[in-house]
Amino acid sequence: MSSQQSQQDKEYLAEQSTKGSLFWNNFKEFYKRLAKNKTALIGGYLILFLIIVAIVGPYITTTDPSQVDYAVKLEGPSAEHWFGTDHHGRDIFTRIIHGLGITMIIGVASTILGGIVGILLGIISGYYGGRIDTIIMRFMDILLAFPGILLALALISILGASRQNVIIAIALFAVPTFARIVRGSTLSVKNLEYIDAMKALGASDIRIISLHILPNILSPIIVQGSVFIASAVLSASGLSFLGLGEQPPSPELGALLSDGRDFIWDAGHIAFFPGLFIMLIVLAFNVFGDGLRDALDPKMK
């Protein structure tokens, strides 16, 4: 019995080792294709750097982001205050470090939420077709008829200004984009022979969708998710800039940008540095998304 158990353990370890080796080989192949696009690679490293700063930064800064000191208000960048101070004497560098995580959380969370709903609707629409497809797609067309930022403004005006409502509002106009992409990919996959074979063998729709369709349409979903995060960050910052997102004294980047608009001529650094970080986030996700599109495209292999 013990020898049989030992043999089973060896087979299990060998199987896990094979899976790990296969994953590592696939990752190296993917990285080689991504590395051909130097701009996308730089964008990926920049995203990684911003994530690390957003996670670690608040724990290593010694200044309270909400600490007011009117004795040093509107000071320019210096050795003591790297990005200067605002009209309340608060350290802008510290506030940006704390606000970076808030802005990225809103962007990522709204993309994930909108992506989940959009993927679900897109797969149902593409797989079942018929009247279900017509109803879902016409509803998506209605959502696409409204500019995303206007739809978010209307929703937040109804629900009220808060971080949760901003995430919901941005996620809402992410849904039709994901749904249309997933529907198209599902239509191209569901008519393949191996899907017909699974149906003939009696596999359930849920099993076919979860194990055979969804894994084969992940590439466009990942690419769209990466690109949409940039749009979500820009929308979240825009809503905070208009006073409909994070509320003072939150250091969200859009709110920091709004704080500096009244001092753009006298103390331009207040608006410059938050705007710079918003630009870096959007640029990094956009160029990385373009690189992902090339790296994950089967025609490029």
Side-chain angles (χ1 to χ4, degrees):
M1 186 70 179
S2 59
S3 60
Q4 182 180 359
Q5 182 66 34
S6 177
Q7 181 64 26
Q8 290 177 351
D9 291 342
K10 290 180 180 178
E11 291 177 356
Y12 175 78
L13 291 174
E15 181 182 355
Q16 295 301 313
S17 177
T18 302
K19 289 182 179 179
S21 177
L22 181 62
F23 171 80
W24 180 246
N25 290 335
N26 289 337
F27 176 78
K28 288 195 295 185
E29 182 65 25
F30 164 76
Y31 184 82
K32 286 180 181 179
R33 294 196 301 270
L34 183 64
K36 293 179 181 179
N37 189 332
K38 302 299 182 183
T39 306
L41 196 62
I42 293 173
Y45 283 129
L46 181 56
I47 291 171
L48 183 61
F49 171 75
L50 291 173
I51 291 174
I52 293 173
V53 171
I55 294 174
V56 179
Y59 295 100
I60 61 176
T61 53
T62 57
T63 308
D64 185 345
S66 301
Q67 180 179 341
V68 175
D69 185 1
Y70 288 104
V72 294
K73 68 177 183 178
L74 300 180
E75 285 192 356
S78 63
E80 185 177 358
H81 302 285
W82 291 359
F83 291 172
T85 59
D86 64 7
H87 54 296
H88 292 298
R90 297 172 296 192
D91 184 71
I92 296 176
F93 175 78
T94 302
R95 289 177 63 76
I96 287 178
I97 293 299
H98 284 76
L100 184 62
I102 298 174
T103 301
M104 295 186 72
I105 285 173
I106 294 174
V108 173
S110 58
T111 302
I112 292 175
L113 179 60
I116 290 173
V117 177
I119 291 168
L120 181 62
L121 293 176
I123 287 182
I124 292 173
S125 178
Y127 185 79
Y128 291 104
R131 184 173 296 179
I132 294 177
D133 180 29
T134 301
I135 294 173
I136 293 177
M137 284 300 103
R138 295 299 75 78
F139 182 63
M140 295 299 103
D141 290 340
I142 292 173
L143 290 179
L144 286 171
F146 296 94
I149 191 67
L150 291 182
L151 189 62
L153 283 170
L155 189 61
I156 292 176
S157 298
I158 297 171
L159 299 177
S162 69
R163 185 182 306 179
Q164 293 79 5
N165 291 340
V166 168
I167 292 174
I168 293 172
I170 297 174
L172 182 62
F173 70 82
V175 170
T177 304
F178 279 97
R180 292 177 70 89
I181 290 174
V182 172
R183 174 183 177 272
S185 300
T186 302
L187 288 173
S188 64
V189 171
K190 79 167 187 174
N191 294 322
L192 297 177
E193 292 181 357
Y194 76 93
I195 299 296
D196 294 333
M198 293 303 299
K199 290 180 180 179
L201 290 172
S204 65
D205 290 343
I206 294 178
R207 182 178 179 84
I208 293 173
I209 289 173
S210 60
L211 297 182
H212 301 284
I213 291 182
L214 185 58
N216 285 286
I217 63 173
L218 281 178
S219 294
I221 293 173
I222 294 172
V223 172
Q224 178 59 31
S226 177
V227 173
F228 189 83
I229 289 175
S231 299
V233 166
L234 202 57
S235 298
S237 299
L239 290 171
S240 295
F241 182 82
L242 295 173
L244 295 174
E246 289 284 317
Q247 299 300 303
S250 172
E252 196 273 332
L253 298 183
L256 295 183
L257 192 63
S258 179
D259 286 342
R261 61 181 170 178
D262 293 331
F263 306 94
I264 195 71
W265 299 113
D266 300 325
H269 62 276
I270 300 178
F272 173 77
F273 289 108
L276 176 64
F277 273 82
I278 293 172
M279 183 201 72
L280 288 176
I281 296 172
V282 173
L283 181 63
F285 277 104
N286 273 327
V287 298
F288 183 66
D290 289 338
L292 278 180
R293 181 179 292 109
D294 295 338
L296 297 175
D297 187 354
K299 298 176 182 178
M300 301 294 290
K301 295 181 183 179

